[in-house]
Amino acid sequence: MQKPLLKPRQLRPGSRIATVSPSWGGPGTFPSRYQAGKRQLEETFGVTAVEMQHTLAAADWVSANPKARADDLMAAFADPSIDGIITTIGGEDCIRLLPFLDLEVIRHNPKVFLGFSDTTALHLACYKAGLGSFYGPAIMAGFAENAGMHAYTAESVRRALFNTDPIRAIPRNAEGWTSEHLGWDQPALQSRQRTLTLAEPPRILQGSGTVQGHLLGGCIEVLEMTKGTAWWPSLDDWTGAILFLETSEDVPSGNFVRYWLRNYAAQGILGVVKGILIARADPGTNPRYQAQIEDAVTTVLAQSGREHMPVLSGLDFGHTQPMLTLPYGALAELDCEAATLTLLESGVV
């Protein structure tokens, strides 16, 4: 059953946004890319970005000091002058912050927290603390998009973080999508738009009718790191949820996704969730990658007796751009006939 989550206050023009590097020290490695994201965040939304003590530190130092990363996050939550927090980039070891986070600080200082990929672990920490957070773009991947933010990304951020009305139907992506690599070590490429591919609409893989549930999930590789920890949701938390899953640019094989999901079945999770959302995947060099992930999901569901569970694939919350912003814990509706996702409530108050 969905537990009550605190909703943070909405952001407004003039809000002060802390930028944190809780995983990889990307800003210290590619400072021009970080500055582009900071500038586009401020110009698009009229907010002020504020670095925490170690946000811009060298990547090697950031990697070696998980407590300092956690301290930055705790300081951002505790600071009453900070209205929201956005991660600079993902990485691979947010889970190392577990011993150093104080969930009471998060619980008593509810504010917008936004990021994706490795930030999944910290979203689960917020969920455990009772705060609804947001799976969406990071400063260096999303806000710093080459030649300016995608309108689809910006509008989703605005609807999720700046507006207290229900978010409503997720619109179709008409801009196209991209995972083209343009080197962040070449600042001259920042003004060059990445090549876009036609965005096919989301597809229903199985199921019928309409289901409702609260959103819970993230990057599947990072979910693996959190299993068995204090941050992992209980079976009660999963009960009635709509599970959303995406894969990273590491492009884990369909076999690995099957293995991981068999654990979800063994835990009882696949028996209690209402539906599954699969992101548009970064295919790497494999044009069949999306199909292989989809096959892994439907195969495990069939093996688990859930061959009729609704599954919607191809939504833009993965490691491609543009990107949706999804509020953890928000009530959502998956409509199999229309192949749509609707968010029935707001993420902020």
Side-chain angles (χ1 to χ4, degrees):
M1 298 289 290
Q2 163 70 346
K3 63 184 179 184
L5 294 179
L6 293 169
K7 292 184 180 182
R9 291 189 179 277
Q10 70 182 118
L11 300 181
R12 306 173 184 272
S15 289
R16 285 166 50 84
I17 309 298
T19 64
V20 295
S21 298
S23 187
W24 175 49
T29 305
F30 300 114
S32 64
R33 178 72 177 190
Y34 169 77
Q35 291 299 330
K38 177 181 177 179
R39 181 181 66 254
Q40 291 176 182
L41 165 67
E42 292 180 331
E43 292 177 352
T44 303
F45 300 100
V47 298
T48 299
V50 181
E51 290 86 14
M52 301 307 292
Q53 184 177 356
H54 306 103
T55 299
L56 306 180
D60 288 347
W61 191 93
V62 170
S63 177
N65 290 275
K67 185 178 185 303
R69 290 182 263 155
D71 288 346
D72 278 0
L73 187 59
M74 293 294 91
F77 270 106
D79 186 342
S81 75
I82 296 296
D83 303 298
I85 305 166
I86 302 178
T87 58
T88 60
I89 193 65
E92 61 180 20
D93 71 345
C94 274
I95 195 64
R96 294 175 63 206
L97 275 59
L98 191 153
F100 309 114
L101 292 191
D102 184 343
L103 300 192
E104 289 297 312
V105 172
I106 297 173
R107 182 178 295 113
H108 293 297
N109 298 277
K111 58 189 64 176
V112 164
F113 178 66
L114 174 68
F116 75 111
S117 191
D118 195 40
T119 308
T120 296
L122 300 181
H123 287 303
L124 295 185
C126 289
Y127 191 88
K128 183 65 69 172
L131 174 65
S133 57
F134 298 86
Y135 201 84
I139 298 294
M140 298 175 69
F143 290 99
E145 180 60 31
N146 300 67
M149 286 187 73
H150 289 291
Y152 192 80
T153 302
E155 181 58 22
S156 186
V157 168
R158 191 169 283 111
R159 292 171 72 185
L161 307 185
F162 289 78
N163 195 326
T164 60
D165 295 330
I167 296 172
R168 299 297 183 189
I170 298 299
R172 179 178 172 181
N173 172 9
E175 288 187 71
W177 65 271
T178 184
S179 61
E180 181 185 13
H181 176 73
L182 296 179
W184 291 356
D185 59 342
Q186 302 178 60
L189 296 177
Q190 182 62 39
S191 61
R192 175 179 149 189
Q193 185 179 38
R194 293 195 288 170
T195 301
L196 292 167
T197 299
L198 177 68
E200 298 294 334
R203 298 181 301 111
I204 289 292
L205 304 185
Q206 62 175 55
S208 60
T210 299
V211 295
Q212 294 183 1
H214 57 282
L215 294 176
L216 188 56
C219 181
I220 193 166
E221 299 104 300
V222 184
L223 291 171
E224 283 304 296
M225 295 188 217
T226 65
K227 282 179 180 175
T229 71
W231 296 349
W232 186 248
S234 70
L235 193 59
D236 282 345
D237 292 325
W238 291 111
T239 299
I242 293 178
L243 168 63
F244 66 92
L245 296 172
E246 63 119 346
T247 53
S248 79
E249 72 274 19
D250 288 341
V251 194
S253 71
N255 282 340
F256 277 110
V257 173
R258 281 193 296 113
Y259 305 154
W260 296 335
L261 288 178
R262 283 173 178 162
N263 178 277
Y264 286 58
Q267 288 190 63
I269 293 170
L270 296 187
V272 298
V273 297
K274 292 285 193 67
I276 295 178
L277 309 175
I278 303 173
R280 188 188 309 280
D282 179 347
T285 59
N286 180 2
R288 295 198 65 254
Y289 185 62
Q290 185 80 30
Q292 290 168 359
I293 297 303
E294 293 172 349
D295 180 69
V297 172
T298 55
T299 295
V300 175
L301 289 176
Q303 293 170 344
S304 307
R306 300 303 310 272
E307 62 271 17
H308 301 299
M309 179 196 291
V311 178
L312 179 63
S313 182
L315 291 161
D316 293 278
F317 60 86
H319 276 61
T320 60
Q321 294 294 335
M323 188 179 187
L324 291 168
T325 296
L326 297 178
Y328 273 80
L331 184 63
E333 181 176 272
L334 194 169
D335 185 333
C336 293
E337 309 312 315
T340 56
L341 177 68
T342 301
L343 303 184
L344 301 176
E345 59 181 315
S346 66
V348 292
V349 294

